[in-house]
Amino acid sequence: MGSSDTTPRAVFPGRTPGVPRIALFLNAGDPDDEEMVEIVRLMDAARVDCLELAVPFPDSVTDGPVVRASATRALDRGTDLPRVLRLVERLRATTTHTRIVLLVDWSHSLRPTDLARSVDEIRGSGADGLLVHGLPPMLRGRTTELCLAAGLPTVQTCYHGTSTGETFAAAARDATAYVYLVARYGRSGTPGGDALASVRSSVDRLRELTDAPVAVGFGISTADDVRRVTDAGADAAVVGTACVRAVEQGIGDHDVVGSFAAFLERLLPAPQPALPRP
């Protein structure tokens, strides 16, 4: 049983070159809360570093069909921000290693609320970080200030190959949880070029601008992909669509937890053999 303290914890504390760290994405509400608790217990036992937990929202322009279908299932269950914050409290009380970063869409979940109050409530739930999806540029400064005042670390996003130097600098400046470097522009889970082959240039660029950890996502679904991200110098790999697909397959097989456990076994890099003693 984890601590009742809800102080945010470093998502990727320290940096150990060559050691892969992993953040996994799921929509809250898909699977249901009881199954989610069991899945996150599995993550914690497997030493998965971070769960990027999305408050579901409709019609995402950045997500492919697998993640969008998951969001629809979650919304059909009535999943909203208050319910997700209650879930975060449960997850925080049952984990010791896995950190929880909340992804919240501006238009669907935050715009109808008092922003300062929502930031305080997210912080109070025990979330270790916040990523605001679709935040209007004019509100970025205020949102960052509110999160700093509340002691809520933030994730900032930029895109390999397409973001401007100004965007890279802003992400590096404002990130207090980590910088999420999107490996390629497009929808999650859809075919694209091998961006991981060239992503090191953007990782190095961010290293010059910030001490915040750098996590790379999009197009990552296997243990080999995770190793390639680590080899590119990033602190962590973010796995999204493959996680959601494991849940979807489990729903079809009537064994969501078992399906996700099998997925974790395939995903987590095999432990390296110990070096012989001299």
Side-chain angles (χ1 to χ4, degrees):
M1 185 70 74
S3 169
S4 59
D5 179 19
T6 58
T7 303
R9 307 155 296 181
V11 178
F12 304 114
R15 180 168 183 261
T16 307
V19 176
R21 295 186 175 180
I22 297 177
L24 303 183
F25 169 92
L26 287 173
N27 275 305
D30 184 60
D32 66 34
D33 289 357
E34 299 307 318
E35 291 169 322
M36 183 70 79
V37 168
E38 292 305 312
I39 282 175
V40 176
R41 283 177 175 157
L42 288 175
M43 290 185 193
D44 198 57
R47 309 287 287 179
V48 170
D49 299 282
C50 177
L51 167 64
E52 188 180 293
L53 185 66
V55 180
F57 58 97
D59 306 321
S60 171
V61 298
T62 58
D63 288 318
V66 173
V67 175
R68 286 166 66 111
S70 169
T72 298
R73 290 192 297 268
L75 290 168
D76 288 346
R77 286 193 172 104
T79 308
D80 58 10
L81 180 58
R83 176 172 167 176
V84 175
L85 295 184
R86 292 192 295 272
L87 174 61
V88 171
E89 291 177 359
R90 289 186 64 186
L91 298 177
R92 178 65 186 258
T94 58
T95 58
T96 58
H97 180 82
T98 302
R99 285 16 180 178
I100 302 166
V101 168
L102 207 61
L103 186 155
V104 186
D105 181 67
W106 165 257
S107 295
H108 183 75
S109 297
L110 287 180
R111 184 170 61 183
T113 72
D114 178 279
L115 183 59
R117 184 173 186 176
S118 291
V119 167
D120 285 341
E121 290 173 347
I122 291 168
R123 162 70 173 80
S125 73
D128 297 295
L130 172 65
L131 194 169
V132 181
H133 177 271
L135 181 67
M138 68 181 66
L139 295 176
R140 179 171 183 157
R142 178 169 180 259
T143 304
T144 299
E145 290 174 1
L146 288 172
C147 289
L148 283 172
L152 178 63
T154 59
V155 178
Q156 305 293 337
T157 303
C158 55
Y159 285 76
H160 169 62
T162 57
S163 286
T164 65
E166 181 180 358
T167 299
F168 266 74
R173 179 192 67 231
D174 295 338
T176 48
Y178 57 89
V179 179
Y180 186 169
L181 175 62
V182 181
R184 60 176 173 80
Y185 186 80
R187 288 187 170 182
S188 62
T190 56
D194 184 10
L196 297 183
S198 61
V199 76
R200 175 178 280 278
S201 61
S202 289
V203 173
D204 290 345
R205 187 178 184 185
L206 287 166
R207 292 268 181 242
E208 296 175 355
L209 296 170
T210 183
D211 292 328
V214 177
V216 175
F218 269 53
I220 299 167
S221 61
T222 67
D224 183 61
D225 294 334
V226 172
R227 291 189 190 94
R228 293 179 68 200
V229 167
T230 304
D231 290 345
D235 295 282
V238 184
V239 184
T241 298
C243 298
V244 178
R245 186 175 287 115
V247 168
E248 184 177 68
Q249 291 173 344
I251 291 171
D253 295 338
H254 305 289
D255 185 8
V256 171
V257 177
S259 176
F260 204 87
F263 164 73
L264 276 182
E265 288 185 8
R266 295 191 302 270
L267 175 70
L268 297 179
Q272 298 300 307
L275 296 175
R277 291 179 180 272

